[in-house]
Amino acid sequence: MTARIALVTGGSRGIGAAICRTLARDGFDIALTYSSNEEKARETKDAVEALGRRALVIRADGAKAEENRHAVEATVAAFGTIDALVCNAGCYPYGTIETMTDEDIDRTLALNLRAVMVETAAAVPHMRRGGRLIYMGSAFGERVPLPGVSVYAATKAALIGFVRGLARDLGPQGITANVVQPGPIDTDLNPKDGDSAALIGSFVATGHYGETADIAEAVSYLASARAGYVTGSTLTVDGGLCA
């Protein structure tokens, strides 16, 4: 059987690392990008290889369009194709709008939105029928229950419109495009016992944070043949934050 190839941006730790491991379990060879933490990227690479899959680590600054394209080019050079593009890299600026600098706004747009578009434009020509485009949104793209996330929420809401357009653009080619919208997930950057965890957890119907595996399994489904008739959609995994 010909190996399936997945490129996961921001795959060194947290949700991204869990996605890499889960897709490797599912039979994908993995290319993953990281911006600064090479040690964690190597740990994820080792975990993928321990599952019997090939792995490629690519350093890329997601705020730079040329490095977004490089990540795609390096993946194709190593593996020949891309079957699933998972755009997970991004940033989470916190602060009300009057505190956001031009640089804050520009970097958030570059990482959370422009990078996604550049990577998609570069990857689609290398994708075969059955290709999967999966974007990491946020429950805050649907509901904003607290102040300080307006710029972030705007970029995540924009992904919903992007995949609806992609569904029309790419449907005839048999390529699907969808958004996964996590709620609060326990990671080293957003721990379930952090300073704001009690407040954020109070907005969730279940009353607690989710695990990285919850998001990775949602990505696994969308990357699979089982999701061939799902496109232009959002899959919200938020413990009921948007309920």
Side-chain angles (χ1 to χ4, degrees), residues 171-232:
Q173 298 171 232
I175 298 171
T176 65
N178 295 287
V179 178
V180 175
Q181 297 191 137
I185 302 297
D186 181 29
T187 65
D188 58 347
L189 296 180
N190 184 30
K192 62 184 177 182
D193 57 357
D195 293 340
S196 60
L199 173 63
I200 295 174
S202 71
F203 297 123
V204 178
T206 61
H208 62 80
Y209 275 41
E211 304 295 332
T212 58
D214 296 321
I215 307 306
E217 292 296 345
V219 172
S220 170
Y221 166 67
L222 291 174
S224 74
R226 304 188 306 278
Y229 202 55
V230 181
T231 192

Side-chain angles (χ1 to χ4, degrees), residues 135-148:
Y135 305 104
M136 202 54 56
S138 169
F140 288 168
E142 294 275 358
R143 181 189 176 206
V144 183
L146 72 168

